[in-house]
């Protein structure tokens, strides 16, 4: 899978967080795709690239919770 660089949406909220929605954040040549919406801390010092990285890392964290641990 490769990042396809699609635009993402940052929902500006009144609270201390943003909701980032990224459609087709990653996509395979066979048509598989991953899209997500995550909540990240609102920080004025973040560049758009940093927001993207933060959102991707948060999405991975959430997906790891969905994978059952094997003992």
């Amino acid at each position: 899978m490769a990042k396809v660089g699609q635009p993402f949406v940052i929902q500006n909220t009144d609270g201390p967080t943003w909701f980032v929605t990224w459609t087709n954040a990653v996509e395979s040549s066979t048509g598989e795709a991953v899209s997500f919406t995550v909540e990240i801390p609102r920080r004025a010092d973040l560049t758009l690239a940093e927001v993207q990285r933060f959102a991707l890392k948060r999405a991975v964290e959430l997906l790891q919770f969905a994978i059952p641990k094997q003992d």
Side-chain angles (χ1 to χ4, degrees), residues 7-63:
F8 59 98
V9 176
I10 302 172
Q11 181 182 348
N12 195 11
T13 64
D14 292 336
T17 60
W18 287 319
F19 283 95
V20 177
T21 299
W22 198 343
T23 304
N24 297 334
V26 291
E27 190 173 56
S28 75
S29 60
T30 61
E32 297 172 306
V34 176
S35 301
F36 59 82
T37 299
V38 294
E39 186 177 23
I40 66 170
R42 179 197 304 250
R43 289 185 31 205
D45 63 328
L46 292 177
T47 66
L48 286 179
E50 290 169 329
V51 169
Q52 285 179 317
R53 274 193 302 279
F54 206 121
L56 283 168
K57 286 179 181 181
R58 181 64 186 138
V60 168
E61 288 172 0
L62 290 171
L63 286 169

